[in-house]
Amino acid sequence: MKKIVVMILLALLLAGCGEEKSMETISDEQATPVVATIQRIQLQLPPELSTPTLESEENGTLYMCEDYSLAVQTMESGDLQKTIRKVTGMEKEDLQLQTTRKGDAKCYQWVWTAGGETEIQVGRGCVLDDGKYHYVLTALADESVAGQVQETWREIFASFCLATEREEVSTGS
């Protein structure tokens, strides 16, 4: 009798085990995701900024001049608020963004002020958004010299664009 009960219990336990069919598909195409290529930045720099002070893959390139600093960065697109907060420390809503187009990219420009070590700092920023990446240019100077570098900044920011495959990136004048 015990053997029969054990056999019935064993039969009930094994009845739930069934063969699960699995299917595998085979394709000639590679299933790796396509990563968007980063476009090159075209930027006309004055001679005093022709050599970068600091370069890193994550933080971009920093150029230091006697009167101001200039930073060029590339970040993932999608969250303009996050990009602006990262480069200015301010929220997008606290700035007045001017939105235009440069080539195929959306262009967002703004100015801001921030407290510095010795005096107020004046900054100017620009983001070119091609839908895949944010290409960012920022400049920062002490308030006392901001008026003197305004024309230089205007020329630098006017030259800031995304290079086509045939154009070379220019860093001198």
Side-chain angles (χ1 to χ4, degrees), residues 88-123:
T88 67
M90 300 182 74
E91 298 297 322
K92 180 178 133 189
E93 294 78 29
D94 296 334
L95 302 168
Q96 291 185 350
L97 267 62
Q98 178 185 14
T99 306
T100 58
R101 291 199 70 81
K102 272 196 176 183
D104 293 335
K106 288 182 182 177
C107 178
Y108 303 95
Q109 294 191 51
W110 68 93
V111 294
W112 81 98
T113 58
E117 289 181 23
T118 57
E119 62 181 287
I120 301 284
Q121 298 279 298
V122 176

Side-chain angles (χ1 to χ4, degrees), residues 51-64:
T51 305
T53 303
L54 180 67
E55 285 184 281
S56 78
E57 221 173 274
E58 186 175 315
N59 295 322
T61 305
L62 178 67
Y63 299 91
M64 296 294 289

Side-chain angles (χ1 to χ4, degrees), residues 103-154:
D104 293 335
K106 288 182 182 177
C107 178
Y108 303 95
Q109 294 191 51
W110 68 93
V111 294
W112 81 98
T113 58
E117 289 181 23
T118 57
E119 62 181 287
I120 301 284
Q121 298 279 298
V122 176
R124 180 172 175 178
C126 180
V127 172
L128 297 178
D129 184 357
D130 68 354
K132 300 171 191 100
Y133 292 96
H134 286 158
Y135 305 89
V136 185
L137 173 63
T138 54
L140 200 59
D142 287 339
E143 180 182 36
S144 60
V145 297
Q148 299 166 12
V149 299
Q150 185 177 30
E151 183 61 27
T152 304
W153 283 7
R154 188 191 64 71

Side-chain angles (χ1 to χ4, degrees), residues 34-55:
V34 176
V35 178
T37 57
I38 296 175
Q39 295 188 51
R40 295 186 322 166
I41 295 171
Q42 183 171 345
L43 185 63
Q44 190 72 32
L45 297 175
E48 66 266 16
L49 291 178
S50 62
T51 305
T53 303
L54 180 67
E55 285 184 281

